[in-house]
Amino acid sequence: MLSKKMEKAINEQINAEFYSSYMYLSMSTYFDSSGLPGAAQWMRAQAEEEWFHGMKLLNFVNERGGRVSLKAIDQPPTTWKSALAVFQDVLAHEQKVTGLINNLVNLALDERDHASNIFLQWFVTEQVEEESGVGAVLDKLKLIGKDTSALFTLDAELGQRVFTPPPAKG
Ligand code: FEO
């Protein structure tokens, strides 16, 4: 059984994950209208992944006998100055999410809620991967600068990304 405090905190994280999904979808549409279909596909896959994160948390609350309470999702930004600006926002956002996940783990430890702690470790690992993946794209964009042809090459590479949900319980 989840404590009320943990239930509330995970419900807030569900909202944060669904907001992330919404924000990446907005970034995807920005790239769609900016002549970078590969980056648009990358963001679409990212949006699907975030939706999966939200659902994973939602299922956990249900499984632990808690009550899911869905909140309104904030409006994300709709436009950016450049591809570089978008990915800078992505990294800042993921660093913020890492902080939220760490706070959840701290709460689980404070409450000696071992089941939540074990469950949340998946997200801890996931955040390391996310920050690393985004950081790699950001590094390339910085090197590319104003080289349009290199940007198109990167765009083609980004377009290869697809989101495949891990097996259930994964
Ligand atoms: Fe669900 Fe990007 O962390």
Side-chain angles (χ1 to χ4, degrees), residues 16-163:
E17 300 291 345
F18 286 153
Y19 171 77
S20 298
S21 181
Y22 214 35
M23 185 188 78
Y24 291 129
L25 200 53
S26 185
M27 289 171 169
S28 177
T29 61
Y30 164 78
F31 282 128
D32 268 329
S33 62
S34 307
L36 293 170
Q41 167 56 29
W42 194 97
M43 287 296 171
R44 195 172 278 245
Q46 183 72 15
E48 288 170 10
E49 190 166 318
E50 298 299 351
W51 190 263
F52 169 80
H53 292 170
M55 292 304 297
K56 191 174 174 77
L57 288 156
L58 183 153
N59 290 335
F60 180 72
V61 172
N62 280 339
E63 207 171 48
R64 298 282 310 280
R67 179 73 173 92
V68 173
S69 168
L70 297 177
K71 311 275 187 254
I73 302 172
D74 288 342
Q75 181 182 346
T78 54
T79 192
W80 287 263
K81 282 188 183 153
S82 63
L84 181 66
V86 176
F87 276 92
Q88 281 170 333
D89 274 8
V90 174
L91 184 59
H93 182 74
E94 287 306 328
Q95 287 167 340
K96 192 173 133 196
V97 172
T98 297
L100 296 177
I101 295 292
N102 288 341
N103 289 344
L104 279 176
V105 173
N106 289 340
L107 180 60
L109 293 173
D110 285 349
E111 301 216 331
R112 295 187 161 79
D113 180 348
H114 302 295
S116 291
N117 179 34
I118 289 170
F119 170 75
L120 289 165
Q121 295 306 310
W122 184 91
F123 285 87
V124 172
T125 306
E126 177 70 9
Q127 283 310 119
V128 173
E129 286 173 18
E130 292 222 356
E131 283 192 35
S132 158
V134 174
V137 177
L138 204 44
D139 286 346
K140 286 180 186 172
L141 280 168
K142 284 178 187 161
L143 285 171
I144 284 170
K146 295 195 182 312
D147 182 344
T148 313
S149 113
L151 181 60
F152 286 151
T153 303
L154 176 63
D155 189 60
E157 188 188 309
L158 294 176
Q160 300 301 310
R161 181 176 178 190
V162 283
F163 172 62

